[in-house]
Amino acid sequence: MGERSDAARRSTEATWAPIAPRPHPPDSVGDTSVSAPASALGAFFSRQSTAGRASGTVSQILLGLVCGGYAVGAAFGWGSSELALVMGDFGLSAAALIAAVSCFLYARFACDRFRPAWLLFSLSSLMAAGGNAVWGWYEVVLGVDVPSPSPADVFFLCFAPPAIVGLLVLAKRPVTRAGWLCLVLDSWLIGGSLLTLSWSLALAHTAHLADAEGASVARAALSLAYPLLDIVLVSMVLALHFRRANANRSAVNTAIAALALTVLCDALFTSPLLRQTYHSGQLLDAGWFAGSLLLAYAPWGANRPGDNAVEQRPAPRTTSRPIAGSLAALTPYLAAAVCTLGILYNVIEGRRVDRVVVFTGCTVVLALVVRQGIMLVDNIALTQELAQKENHFRSLVQGSSDVIMIAAPTGILRYVSPAASGVYGREADDLIGAELASIIHPEDLGRVVHEVRRFLAAPPSEEPTTRIECRFRSGTGDWLNVESTVNRHQGGLILNSRDVTERVRLQAQLQHNAEHDPLTDLPNRALFTERVRQALGGRRAGDPGTAVLFIDLDGFKAVNDRLGHQAGDELLVQAARRLQESVRAGDTAARLGGDEFAALILGDGTHDQGAREYQVHEIADRLRLALSQPYRIGGGEVRVAASIGVAFAEPAITPTDLMRNADLAMYRAKAAGKDRVELYAPQMQAEVVRRSELAARLRTALRDGEFALLHQPVVHLGTGTVAAVAAQARWRSAQGILFTPAEFLRVAEDSDRTAELGRWLLEEAVEQAADRARAGHQVAVAVRLSARRLLDRAMPFGSVEALLTRHGLPSGALMIEVSDNDPRVSFDELEQRLVGLRRLGVRIALDGFGSGYAAINALRRLPVDVLKLDRGLVEGVVESARLHKITSGLLRIACDLGLQSVADGVDVPEQVLALRAMGCTHGQGMAFSGPLDEYRLRRTLVRGEFPVPGSPTQPVLTRGSIPLLSGPHSEMPIPPT
């Protein structure tokens, strides 16, 4: 029966196989790819490994039921002696064979370094199955007693070596020679102590009994071989238990349980009392049967995916680790105690101390001395290394510029590095014993506590550290921005902190610079847009009282041109200060760029839209008045005006649309005369759309040649002769609509096609004038160009001379009428341009004289030949005595300067008489003729003169003496051309 005991023990030892880490095929170990070729039991174990905890529990219950059923059958003798022999021999053989097949199939698909261990366990279980099968052949099939020795003994003895090697494969291998030596010594200490105790209790008696009975040497060796192999296996298991790998804890625990059960059965079997009455099929066989099934279960059921997590990351520290370490340290002393017990037993029994006991005890003591020497040397080396590392880390901590603090679980600071005096301005000793919360800013304390609690609740393997940024109180009472890296330390915290105040200040400055205007320090367009977005969302969403104001400084360009950009910047700074002081505390004033400002007026929740519009209009008017006050710059006063557009929030409006509406209202304020406040109306957007469509059609018309050129005669007021013709463009669209200059020139001024339209007008006028001259009609042509267009790079100086040369028109036959109502035009550049044109022989007329604020300045500085009175003066010259005096004065100025004069908009005979009486020389208007196409113009030139009301005073000009260009407003019907 010792053979069966040994086989059971071997099969139980094989349950250490779960120590090996589970392999990691693409699918889990319990995948059907692994279990498909397995036996029924192996497939069952495979299925439960993939089913998780629930199926694992079911498999354990089923395993317990199978083992329990075998134990019940054995306890009741299986009902017959024959069945008891079958179950006691072939039943154990079948269990061992299942274990062998299970370990082999698992090892076949294993992909890690523990695969050889499973193969070795499979081999050892196969040996146990063979031994039990041979044993059953003798007892059941042949019906004879098993001879001693027999072939079964060969199988049982071949079980131990593979099992021992397999345990070595599973164990955590030593990395040094001293470690290997300690492993050997520990194994011998345990094995020698067990041998001493076993020899004293039973083995010596067995040896003497075999000698007394005259047993053969082989039989005597067999009687001692099985117990000794038990001792070796138990020694290996106990020695390697404290060195096992960290993987597959559940498998390891299963193997330990199986081993304990097998060793207990072996101990009971070797006792003389039980051995005398033992026969196959008794209850003792249930222990060996359970050991074999536990081995079969271990790789599939106990080796679950959940255990593999241990291989992925270190297991958290538990209280079992110190206990395991203590037991490992006590192993040599426990071995010596066991040896002492063996010797004392012989002394107490009055027996002579056996030589085997003496020899074994001496070797155990010698091994203990050698191991203690190795441990002493290791302890000395570790102590020195620890002292060096401690000095090294102490120097690192004390020399580090970061502050290292250790806080207890209660929040009390237990250690603070010396760097605290340089970083916090507080001595480390003053901080030790203080609460960490006492040096954190109260506003940051709640956030820090929340982050610490969250960090401590998180698994250390998933979040080993965290970073916290808060404010610490310095020794001077100031608050420093501190960034800390936090680690766990014995339930408390280790904080590695550094002062980042300068970095935070720099980040705040960079953020401020990115969101504010560098000149005025007001919010820029980006921040203003974000403020508008916030005002339109959140709790203020849908508040119709929220308004956006767009503000443009009228006349700022002139300040820049006259006083320089430095003075302009100073004006902008003062304007920004006034704007900031004029808005309410919760409102936002911003500079969008150039001389454009904006203000966000938050709603107050009122539902009276009329009252709210009145209130915001009042705020806007107050801003306009504040910005229009004189500015003190460079010792003098400068004045500018402000045009303001106001737009109110609407349901579901976007910030972009709201700001666009305010911009449209601001441009409407500028177009309506400037220095005023305009509220946005939906028709403004419709006007923009119409203008955009018209501009697009205008570009198409320029490309497709839809423009026509008409001419209006300029008549001598004394004789009625035609002195010149004024060229005027007309656009007949594809829809047959005839647009006058008042309708499309305003669009052209704002479009990219203005230069192209100006070039076309000049070239067409010169070309047609040259054709008329060749036909015998020597009459000058006047072309109206704005001062801005004359300075455009698209119309260089040489282009006018080249145009006259190309068409053969004398330069004296061309007059340029200059419109000077654009304040952005530099008078210096315009003067140089006009002087160059006069050198070519081109005549210069000042158009719209008497209407622009710069008219007198233009008359003073520009080289002008002709003054063209604005039609606003001509229209009321008869009815208004005031206008009569103003017009008369302007004509006297022209006469005194030697300039010729032309009255624009002469529509009735009374105006002709009045103007001629004042000394005006020429007129243009419906009193004589409207704009004519080329055919009617030539017929008019053939006639040569128009009837003039009243009698002429005296001839002032001869025919063709001046060229002019009119600025028509009223039109007469024009036939198709």
Side-chain angles (χ1 to χ4, degrees), residues 92-106:
L92 293 181
S93 179
L97 183 61
I98 290 174
V101 173
S102 176
C103 292
F104 176 77
L105 291 177
Y106 184 80

Side-chain angles (χ1 to χ4, degrees), residues 18 144 204 293 296 384 611 629 634 690 697 859 868 901:
V144 298
L293 291 188
Q384 294 176 351
Q629 296 298 317
R690 192 192 70 82
R697 292 164 58 190
L859 186 62
K868 189 171 185 180
S901 57

Side-chain angles (χ1 to χ4, degrees), residues 779-913:
V779 61
V781 62
V783 180
R784 184 178 184 271
L785 295 175
S786 67
R788 181 183 176 187
R789 190 56 48 211
L790 280 173
L791 298 179
D792 196 337
R793 295 181 180 179
M795 187 180 290
F797 173 76
S799 62
V800 177
E801 182 179 9
L803 182 63
L804 295 174
T805 302
R806 183 169 67 252
H807 293 286
L809 183 69
S811 58
L814 175 64
M815 171 172 274
I816 301 296
E817 293 184 351
V818 182
S819 171
D820 68 327
N821 57 356
D822 192 345
R824 295 173 292 181
V825 174
S826 172
F827 269 93
D828 295 334
E829 297 180 9
L830 183 60
E831 182 180 5
Q832 296 176 5
R833 176 68 163 161
L834 295 181
V835 168
L837 289 175
R838 286 195 68 187
R839 288 174 182 171
L840 295 176
V842 177
R843 306 291 297 276
I844 305 299
L846 187 61
D847 183 53
F849 186 75
S851 61
Y853 70 93
I856 299 300
N857 190 31
L859 186 62
R860 179 178 62 87
R861 298 186 55 181
L862 300 180
V864 178
D865 300 302
V866 178
L867 290 183
K868 189 171 185 180
L869 296 180
D870 184 72
R871 72 179 294 116
L873 297 176
V874 176
E875 287 176 349
V877 71
V878 177
E879 296 84 1
S880 173
R882 184 181 183 87
L883 284 179
H884 189 280
K885 293 181 179 180
I886 293 174
T887 305
S888 177
L890 294 177
L891 290 172
R892 282 196 300 271
I893 292 175
C895 183
D896 292 342
L897 294 177
L899 304 178
Q900 297 172 345
S901 57
V902 177
D904 186 15
V906 182
D907 297 333
V908 295
E910 291 80 6
Q911 293 173 347
V912 175
L913 296 175

Side-chain angles (χ1 to χ4, degrees), residues 709-727:
L709 192 65
L710 304 180
H711 295 84
Q712 187 174 26
V714 178
V715 179
H716 190 283
L717 296 182
T719 63
T721 57
V722 178
V725 291

Side-chain angles (χ1 to χ4, degrees), residues 403-408 411-440 472-476 480 482 495 497:
V403 180
I404 299 175
M405 300 183 295
I406 300 178
I412 303 298
L413 294 176
R414 297 305 186 192
Y415 173 79
V416 179
S417 65
S421 59
V423 177
Y424 300 153
R426 303 176 67 175
E427 295 297 330
D429 295 337
D430 297 338
L431 291 174
I432 296 176
E435 291 188 3
L436 180 61
S438 64
I439 63 175
I440 299 178
F472 278 7
R473 185 188 299 275
S474 67
T476 60
L480 303 176
V482 176
L495 296 93
S497 306

Side-chain angles (χ1 to χ4, degrees), residues 478-610:
D478 298 330
W479 293 101
L480 303 176
N481 292 93
V482 176
E483 182 185 68
S484 301
T485 302
V486 183
N487 295 270
R488 300 173 180 83
H489 177 70
Q490 298 179 358
L493 301 173
I494 294 181
L495 296 93
N496 190 352
S497 306
R498 62 203 62 86
D499 183 9
V500 294
T501 304
E502 186 63 23
R503 188 195 73 186
V504 172
R505 187 198 63 79
L506 180 59
Q507 289 177 345
Q509 183 63 40
L510 292 176
Q511 183 70 18
H512 180 84
N513 293 343
E515 296 178 342
H516 289 76
D517 174 57
L519 178 63
T520 62
D521 202 39
L522 290 179
N524 59 14
R525 183 182 293 271
L527 181 57
F528 183 77
T529 304
E530 181 61 27
R531 296 276 179 86
V532 174
R533 181 176 291 105
Q534 294 174 1
L536 296 180
R539 63 184 183 86
R540 295 184 180 275
D543 188 351
T546 299
V548 170
L549 280 62
F550 266 43
I551 306 163
D552 187 82
L553 299 181
D554 304 321
F556 174 76
K557 179 66 166 57
V559 175
N560 259 349
D561 294 340
R562 187 171 70 256
L563 302 179
H565 290 280
Q566 186 173 358
D569 290 345
E570 178 62 27
L571 188 149
L572 291 175
V573 171
Q574 294 185 29
R577 188 180 305 116
R578 294 182 186 182
L579 181 62
Q580 185 70 40
E581 294 172 352
S582 299
V583 298
R584 303 174 304 177
D587 299 334
T588 300
R591 182 191 177 203
L592 305 183
D595 60 340
E596 291 188 357
F597 295 85
L600 172 63
I601 310 298
L602 298 178
D604 54 5
T606 181
H607 296 285
D608 189 347
Q609 187 65 17

